[in-house]
Amino acid sequence: EDEQIVAEIMGRRFFPDLITHKTWEGFHFAGHEIRITEATDCYGAVVWPSALVLCYFLETNSKQCNLVDKNVIEIGAGTGLVSIVASLLGAFVTATDLPELLGNLQHNVLQNTKQKCKHQPCVKELSWGIDLEKNFPRSSCHFDYIMAADVVYYHPFLDELLLTFDHLCKNDTVILWAMKFRLEKENQFVDRFQMLFDLEMISNFPSLNIALYKAMRKGRMKA
């Protein structure tokens, strides 16, 4: 079953027939052909398999996870694929990442959502743990969903990442988080994450070493 679903997920990706001056990959999600411009010299400007896993879940569970008119923020949006799919599924999306990635992110989001979405998504800078209250004040920012794909990897900002999850997450916010396990640091982060959030694995793909989680603040999952 794992291999069958993984084949279906990876089958959503296609490549240009001809070599062009810009590197791009294509994807089929939410009834649309999505073209993503990449930059191979930057981790944040490449589409990783965790993003495909999350997009596939959003599309195939659109009844249980109805995004229409929901307020969604994606952290570490990278190329923007997850944000684009969430927008095409009817959400009002804020796609965030580091300042050096915003140009490519904005290009992809605009190219794939303009006049196609109920709500035009916005792109905003978010450096984890920095100026959170200034840029995303708790009093006015309420997100129904926080989405993250492959944000935990070998980098020195895991404390800041946890702080960012904590700041953005209200009592009724649902976190959808796809993660590829590579090193022991990932397991350690999950342990720390569970000190603040109830965590439920909703999909697991051993052949990709990727798990998809749903999380809410402690004690709120059943409610």
Side-chain angles (χ1 to χ4, degrees), residues 32-143:
H32 290 266
E33 180 181 292
I34 301 167
R35 293 193 177 191
I36 296 292
T37 301
E38 297 184 315
T40 55
D41 59 344
C42 179
Y43 285 122
V46 176
V47 177
W48 300 99
S50 292
L52 274 68
V53 167
L54 183 48
C55 290
Y56 181 82
F57 172 83
L58 296 177
E59 181 188 88
T60 56
N61 293 272
S62 58
K63 290 185 178 180
Q64 304 95 308
C65 180
N66 185 356
L67 295 183
V68 176
D69 297 330
K70 296 297 192 300
N71 201 13
V72 171
I73 185 168
E74 184 186 6
I75 62 174
T79 62
L81 180 61
V82 172
S83 289
I84 291 164
V85 172
S87 298
L88 293 171
L89 292 171
F92 181 83
V93 176
T94 302
T96 71
D97 215 313
L98 296 169
E100 60 266 28
L101 296 173
L102 295 188
N104 189 57
L105 175 58
Q106 180 71 64
H107 168 78
N108 285 329
V109 167
L110 189 63
Q111 176 178 266
N112 290 287
T113 62
K114 191 176 182 180
Q115 297 182 330
K116 297 178 183 178
C117 297
K118 185 175 183 180
H119 308 287
Q120 186 61 38
C122 68
V123 172
K124 191 170 180 179
E125 177 185 341
L126 173 54
S127 299
W128 298 337
I130 298 175
D131 292 333
L132 293 175
E133 182 59 29
K134 176 184 174 183
N135 296 323
F136 300 89
R138 289 179 187 269
S139 59
S140 58
C141 288
H142 185 286
F143 298 106

Side-chain angles (χ1 to χ4, degrees), residues 170-218:
K170 295 287 199 294
N171 281 343
D172 57 349
T173 303
V174 175
I175 298 171
L176 294 175
W177 167 27
M179 173 175 167
K180 182 178 179 68
F181 288 84
R182 300 179 181 88
L183 301 165
E184 183 57 30
K185 271 201 168 187
E186 279 89 342
N187 296 309
Q188 293 173 4
F189 182 83
V190 171
D191 292 340
R192 294 178 56 207
F193 184 88
Q194 290 185 96
M195 295 174 68
L196 297 174
F197 302 99
D198 288 321
L199 193 64
E200 174 189 350
M201 183 186 291
I202 52 179
S203 295
N204 186 30
F205 303 101
S207 62
L208 295 174
N209 208 22
I210 292 173
L212 178 61
Y213 294 104
K214 172 185 175 183
M216 295 185 76
R217 281 209 174 275
K218 278 286 185 184

